[in-house]
């Protein structure tokens, strides 16, 4: 027993044309094969509702159906053939009425349903550039002015409707499947899916009506970026012809080598060389940091290999919380040549109690310090 067409669409016998249309639209969206791949039940509902709509949306057919029921379309009477054997082609061709002409015939472009337009907007290609940053720029964040050659729409270019896809931006292809004929749509390759073609263009524009233009684009780079990271500046890639959307500008981060500082995650390392006498007597030394120079105190009797941690003098976390530290590695510079007098002095110190190594617990070994740093 065939289901009642009004029941299929979930409407009353007295439903208005607008109500019928609305009900079918809802069903078509719900059971569309693109949304329900390999779902035979959904496809059945999709076909049933299309069939119901085909009859109920036509005042003649609807009157006949109201009088005679399904018998009106069973082949012997009524319309001959009728709605009983609609294929996917017929169903999709209905969409022109339901979803606006831009969608007419194109089953694949499902994304167009909600948005209203239905037409695929061509997107310009992305542009990729690299930007080299100093550690100081990375630590503080920076706004870079970057010169980019991008394609933009040439002034004076006019457009006309694409003659291949008639402005829909899509070409359809019908394939036979076990479930019946299925229609798939792909972007029109004549107009690139925009539905538009160049009508007139200036002589210096390319076939898409675009010209290369050098622009200076300001890119805000947040603090804490890492080598290899890619930032996106939306809409600053190549423009697309007609009503298309511009591509994006993708900015790849590179880190310049620093003269004094080495980066390790958010921490920085600095090798400080002090003289033998500075190690013995203590000293005040100037350290290069990413936010300027700072002066640090070196206690007398400092051991070579000691690591001083300057908290918060590293790189801010890209996630926005916390900052790394600056780790100052103390290296005591041992003189390579000595005057006679100096040599005599150190010879006298051989075996002297003060010159004999006597590491305390606090003078951790190198390995313990490394362990400390990463814990
Ligand atoms: Zn086209």
């Amino acid at each position: 027993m065939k289901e009642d067409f009004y029941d299929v669409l979930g409407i009353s016998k007295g439903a208005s044309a607008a109500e019928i249309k609305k009900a079918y639209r809802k069903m078509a969206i719900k059971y569309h094969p693109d949304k329900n791949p390999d779902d035979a039940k959904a496809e059945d509902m999709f076909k049933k509702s299309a069939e119901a709509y085909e009859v109920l949306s036509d005042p003649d057919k609807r009157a006949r159906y109201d009088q005679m029921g399904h018998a009106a379309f069973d082949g012997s009477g009524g319309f001959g053939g009728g709605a009983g054997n609609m294929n996917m082609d017929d169903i999709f061709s209905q969409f022109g009425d339901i979803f606006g002409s831009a969608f007419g015939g194109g089953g694949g472009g499902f994304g167009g349903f909600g948005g209203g337009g239905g037409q695929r907007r061509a997107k310009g290609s992305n542009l990729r550039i690299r930007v080299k940053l100093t550690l100081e720029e990375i630590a503080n964040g920076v706004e870079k002015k970057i010169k980019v050659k991008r394609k933009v729409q040439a002034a004076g270019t006019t457009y006309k409707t694409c003659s291949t896809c008639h402005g829909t931006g899509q070409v359809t292809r019908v394939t036979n499947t076990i479930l019946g004929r299925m229609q798939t749509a792909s972007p029109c390759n004549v107009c690139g899916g925009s539905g538009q073609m160049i009508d007139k263009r200036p002589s210096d524009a390319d076939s898409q009506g675009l010209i290369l233009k050098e622009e200076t684009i300001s890119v805000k780079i947040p603090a804490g970026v890492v080598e290899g990271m890619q930032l996106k500046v939306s809409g600053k890639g190549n423009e697309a012809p007609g009503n298309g959307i511009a591509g994006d500008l993708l900015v790849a981060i590179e880190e310049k080598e620093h003269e004094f500082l080495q980066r390790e995650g958010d921490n920085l390392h600095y090798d400080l060389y002090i003289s033998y006498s500075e190690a013995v007597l203590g000293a005040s030394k100037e350290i290069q940091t990413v936010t300027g120079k700072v002066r640090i105190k070196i206690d007398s009797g400092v051991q070579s290999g000691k690591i001083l941690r300057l908290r918060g003098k590293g790189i801010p976390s890209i996630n926005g919380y916390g900052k790394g530290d600056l780790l100052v590695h103390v290296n005591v510079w041992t003189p390579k040549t000595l005057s006679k007098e100096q040599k005599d002095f150190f010879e006298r110190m051989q075996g002297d109690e003060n010159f004999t190594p006597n590491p305390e617990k606090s003078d951790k070994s190198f390995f313990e310090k490394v362990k400390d740093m990463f814990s």
Side-chain angles (χ1 to χ4, degrees), residues 161-171 187-197:
T161 302
C162 173
S163 54
T164 301
C165 64
H166 307 292
T168 63
Q170 294 178 334
V171 287
C188 171
N189 57 18
V190 174
C191 61
S194 68
Q196 293 177 309
M197 276 169 63

Side-chain angles (χ1 to χ4, degrees), residues 2 5 47 50-52 54-55 61 73 79-86:
K2 216 170 156 79
F5 284 153
K47 282 183 166 175
E51 195 184 321
E54 219 260 330
V55 170
K61 289 184 188 175
F73 312 105
F79 301 96
N85 42 21
M86 281 185 84

